[in-house]
Amino acid sequence: MPCPPWRYFANMQPPAYDAVADLAAIRSGDRKALARAITRVENELDGYRNLLHALTAETQVPVTGFTGPPGAGKSTLINALVRHLRADWKTVAVIAVDPTSPFNYGSLLGDRLRMHEHFNDEHVFIRSLATRGSLGGLSEKVLEIVDVMRCAAFDHIIVETVGVGQSEVEIAGLADTTVVVFVPEAGDEIQTLKSGIMEIADVFVVNKADREGAETFANNLRKLAAHPRSDGWEVPVVKTTANADIGVGEVLEAIGHHRRSGALNAKRPYLLAEKAYRLIRRDRMRGITKAALKEALENELKDPRFNLYRFADQWVK
Amino acid sequence: MPCPPWRYFANMQPPAYDAVADLAAIRSGDRKALARAITRVENELDGYRNLLHALTAETQVPVTGFTGPPGAGKSTLINALVRHLRADWKTVAVIAVDPTSPFNYGSLLGDRLRMHEHFNDEHVFIRSLATRGSLGGLSEKVLEIVDVMRCAAFDHIIVETVGVGQSEVEIAGLADTTVVVFVPEAGDEIQTLKSGIMEIADVFVVNKADREGAETFANNLRKLAAHPRSDGWEVPVVKTTANADIGVGEVLEAIGHHRRSGALNAKRPYLLAEKAYRLIRRDRMRGITKAALKEALENELKDPRFNLYRFADQWVK
């Protein structure tokens, strides 16, 4: 008896993933293809490596990173920036990286609620990523996701990270232009500025500039930023009141100036080395999790001669 | 002609390093041996692995980590704590981890000047470490150095880190008791608290408590800390004015309570897994630096078909 047709159907393989065709669709503006590609990369689905290996420098949309302490009003500022860009008929992608507890790995802020104003606009592409596993830093996959989005010919790609410290350094390794947002009360943090953020920030924003002390704070920042950096870029200080839509255009101008300056080209090899380093580290640590180590440790801890360094050496390739 | 005696001497090997004897000297209170051992570990001198592999759980002095934003007065508080401990004839070790710019790797603060008050006291062992290579985080070797110091039978080991964000998480992976120091102005940072510091902090200190808003801020913290954690520990909130020596004894008491509680034992496997993870990662990334990657990249970037993911794959074992 011949095999019924549904048998042939059931035995059929799904068509092999064609990364080049997928990228062509993404380039032509197919947002559903983009969303699928991001999911593919985020979850390491079939073909995700092909996709990454097929990325070329053809269309490289510059990425703007926003960072700063919680409560500085980054989301409000980005919301206002998107409104300005949309009024100018620009397409925008926003990637929000949520903060997570280092111990419960759960997401704190509501998923995409912060950007609700633009949620029904098809020219605003919003994606929110949890920080998984990297202890308060950026999501492990944000690097690849941003690189896929660069191919989708947006006019602007915005990455928002919440938090200070390590994330700032991480975002500087990812974004072509890094905007650091402060509020006037951040006076005590000026110490931090001197020690690292000066090299990271391409644009300073003093948000909530209607508050007391804003002018003094902005002037102090300007003094710190007065000397041009080794790449020739003088870091501008912009005052905004994002929730009243004041100063938002100036932030866009400052980002545009930085994009057109030579500083971005000078930065590129550093950015790529930083990204390569993180990719290599992740691959070399593949399969090693703190949870697995804890399980392995629990047996060994019963031994009174337990030694952490001998234990760790067993896991070194 | 017989070989002259100096020839025998010149051919002589230095005596092999005896890690067990060295550790015995350190345990007996030989501070010079301790200082040499730290240098050995910090610079990976001959025999440093033997030393680490010889560490046992025999004497395990609990470590107290202090963290918090710059300007919170951590150094002043630690200074006052050391004064109290010395009045009680306790021995103390202080490890200060200096902030460094992520790009110039230079040390910002003066080396040990902050602790000058105790510098001539032989029962106070002070060591300051630069943050080398780990981009704003703790010094790469602080983990090993602290483990060596644990053998030296101090009554207290204090690790001070400057900065917020990632360092807090890192210190929580290193310290048995983590003290997070704030100033009343840190109001906006309460958002951060909810997202991660609650799980990290074992003791909250509101320093500069003579300033306006201290009581409100402390009460807000108390509300956040009101529910006991999964390990049963209720995080105390202590108000201090460290430079006037107010509240310092209460901080010591809170640290003592935490040490004697069951929370510390519950934490131990997590701490060790965190440490093991960092040791393994460092060893697996040995020899791979961002500078080397940047050099390798500069040639490849000339190729218009350059692809970061194919580049990174070459470096994955």
Side-chain angles (χ1 to χ4, degrees):
Chain A
M1 202 175 98
C3 211
W6 56 264
R7 259 197 166 237
Y8 289 106
F9 189 76
N11 284 328
M12 266 174 73
Q13 294 291 314
Y17 173 66
D18 184 344
V20 175
D22 200 18
L23 271 176
I26 292 168
R27 280 208 182 86
S28 73
D30 184 339
R31 295 297 181 235
K32 280 185 185 159
L34 173 63
R36 277 195 305 269
I38 290 173
T39 305
R40 188 182 296 276
V41 166
E42 192 174 11
N43 300 305
E44 303 199 346
L45 302 179
D46 196 40
Y48 85 96
R49 268 189 188 269
N50 301 356
L51 178 65
L52 294 175
H53 284 198
L55 298 175
T56 54
E58 236 178 279
T59 49
Q60 284 291 4
V61 182
V63 171
T64 311
F66 283 79
T67 193
K74 291 180 296 297
S75 297
T76 314
L77 178 62
I78 291 171
N79 227 342
L81 285 168
V82 171
R83 207 184 306 124
H84 275 241
L85 290 167
R86 290 300 301 132
D88 212 15
W89 298 101
K90 304 280 189 199
T91 54
V92 194
V94 179
I95 305 165
V97 184
D98 286 352
T100 3
S101 156
F103 288 121
N104 66 21
Y105 300 99
S107 184
L108 175 74
L109 295 177
D111 199 36
R112 306 168 180 193
L113 292 171
R114 290 171 291 169
M115 299 299 291
H116 60 91
E117 181 183 336
H118 306 292
F119 225 80
N120 293 317
D121 181 343
E122 59 169 325
H123 299 292
V124 181
F125 187 92
I126 298 171
R127 188 90 182 201
S128 119
L129 301 174
T131 58
R132 297 192 295 193
S134 69
L135 283 182
L138 293 182
S139 160
E140 283 222 321
K141 291 289 180 189
V142 69
L143 219 156
E144 283 98 331
I145 290 169
V146 167
D147 271 354
V148 171
M149 295 182 89
R150 277 173 189 274
C151 293
F154 291 105
D155 295 306
H156 280 262
I157 298 177
I158 292 172
V159 181
E160 179 198 1
T161 54
V162 183
V164 281
Q166 190 68 3
S167 312
E168 275 158 351
V169 180
E170 288 194 18
I171 192 127
L174 172 83
D176 300 283
T177 305
T178 300
V179 181
V180 179
V181 185
F182 283 104
V183 278
E185 294 83 32
D188 269 341
E189 292 171 39
I190 228 125
Q191 280 193 47
T192 332
L193 294 182
K194 285 175 81 176
S195 77
I197 300 180
M198 284 312 292
E199 286 92 353
I200 287 166
D202 300 308
V203 175
F204 276 121
V205 170
V206 180
N207 193 26
K208 306 186 184 177
D210 50 340
R211 289 197 192 171
E212 207 186 329
E215 192 52 46
T216 316
F217 185 73
N219 283 337
N220 285 340
L221 270 180
R222 282 193 191 100
K223 270 176 219 153
L224 280 174
H227 305 285
R229 291 191 307 209
S230 54
D231 59 4
W233 177 248
E234 245 180 284
V235 181
V237 178
V238 184
K239 284 196 298 174
T240 61
T241 310
N243 60 6
D245 206 27
I246 296 169
V248 178
E250 283 88 330
V251 176
L252 282 176
E253 259 173 52
I255 294 167
H257 280 150
H258 182 255
R259 278 193 190 189
R260 289 186 295 274
S261 78
L264 210 148
N265 270 333
K267 204 179 179 181
R268 197 161 172 242
Y270 290 95
L271 284 176
L272 288 171
E274 174 72 36
K275 285 184 189 177
Y277 184 85
R278 280 153 61 185
L279 289 172
I280 294 164
R281 186 170 72 180
R282 207 175 56 203
D283 262 3
R284 289 194 167 202
M285 288 300 281
R286 193 166 284 262
I288 298 183
T289 64
K290 285 171 197 169
L293 291 174
K294 183 174 160 282
E295 213 181 295
L297 268 164
E298 267 164 1
N299 280 317
E300 303 227 12
L301 275 179
K302 290 164 195 156
D303 183 350
R305 290 163 308 168
F306 170 78
N307 176 290
L308 181 69
Y309 300 92
R310 274 180 268 145
F311 172 82
D313 277 357
Q314 294 166 24
W315 297 68
V316 173
K317 271 184 198 167
Chain B
M1 204 173 95
C3 213
W6 56 264
R7 249 190 177 245
Y8 289 104
F9 190 75
N11 286 330
M12 266 175 71
Q13 294 291 314
Y17 173 65
D18 185 345
V20 175
D22 200 18
L23 271 175
I26 292 169
R27 281 210 181 85
S28 74
D30 183 340
R31 297 296 181 233
K32 278 185 186 160
L34 173 63
R36 276 196 306 268
I38 291 173
T39 305
R40 189 182 296 276
V41 167
E42 192 174 11
N43 301 306
E44 303 197 347
L45 301 179
D46 197 38
Y48 85 97
R49 266 188 189 271
N50 302 357
L51 178 66
L52 294 176
H53 284 197
L55 297 176
T56 54
E58 236 177 282
T59 49
Q60 284 290 4
V61 182
V63 171
T64 310
F66 283 80
T67 191
K74 291 180 297 298
S75 296
T76 315
L77 178 61
I78 291 171
N79 227 344
L81 286 169
V82 171
R83 206 184 307 122
H84 275 242
L85 290 167
R86 289 302 300 131
D88 212 14
W89 298 101
K90 305 280 189 200
T91 53
V92 194
V94 180
I95 306 165
V97 184
D98 286 352
T100 5
S101 156
F103 290 121
N104 66 21
Y105 300 101
S107 185
L108 176 73
L109 296 177
D111 199 37
R112 304 167 182 193
L113 292 171
R114 290 172 292 169
M115 299 297 293
H116 60 90
E117 183 184 333
H118 306 290
F119 226 80
N120 293 319
D121 181 343
E122 59 170 323
H123 298 291
V124 181
F125 186 92
I126 299 170
R127 188 89 182 205
S128 117
L129 301 174
T131 58
R132 295 191 297 191
S134 69
L135 283 180
L138 294 182
S139 160
E140 284 224 322
K141 291 289 179 190
V142 70
L143 220 156
E144 284 97 330
I145 289 169
V146 167
D147 272 353
V148 171
M149 294 181 89
R150 276 173 191 274
C151 293
F154 290 104
D155 294 306
H156 280 263
I157 298 177
I158 293 172
V159 181
E160 179 199 1
T161 53
V162 183
V164 282
Q166 190 66 7
S167 314
E168 276 158 350
V169 181
E170 287 192 20
I171 191 121
L174 172 81
D176 299 283
T177 305
T178 299
V179 181
V180 179
V181 186
F182 283 105
V183 278
E185 294 84 32
D188 270 343
E189 290 170 40
I190 228 127
Q191 281 194 47
T192 332
L193 296 182
K194 287 175 79 177
S195 76
I197 299 179
M198 283 311 292
E199 286 91 354
I200 288 166
D202 300 306
V203 176
F204 276 121
V205 171
V206 179
N207 193 26
K208 306 186 184 177
D210 50 338
R211 289 197 190 172
E212 207 187 328
E215 192 51 48
T216 316
F217 185 72
N219 283 337
N220 285 340
L221 269 180
R222 282 193 192 103
K223 271 176 219 154
L224 280 174
H227 305 285
R229 291 190 308 206
S230 54
D231 59 5
W233 176 248
E234 246 180 286
V235 181
V237 178
V238 184
K239 284 196 298 174
T240 61
T241 311
N243 60 6
D245 207 26
I246 296 170
V248 178
E250 282 88 330
V251 176
L252 281 177
E253 261 173 50
I255 294 167
H257 280 151
H258 183 257
R259 278 193 189 189
R260 288 185 297 273
S261 78
L264 210 148
N265 270 335
K267 204 177 177 181
R268 196 163 173 242
Y270 289 96
L271 284 176
L272 287 171
E274 174 73 37
K275 285 184 190 177
Y277 184 85
R278 279 152 63 183
L279 289 172
I280 294 164
R281 187 170 71 180
R282 206 175 56 203
D283 263 3
R284 289 198 168 200
M285 288 300 280
R286 195 166 280 264
I288 298 184
T289 64
K290 286 172 196 169
L293 290 174
K294 184 174 159 281
E295 213 181 296
L297 268 164
E298 267 164 1
N299 281 318
E300 302 227 11
L301 274 179
K302 290 165 195 155
D303 184 349
R305 290 162 309 168
F306 171 77
N307 176 291
L308 182 68
Y309 299 91
R310 274 180 267 146
F311 172 81
D313 277 355
Q314 296 166 23
W315 297 68
V316 175
K317 269 182 200 169

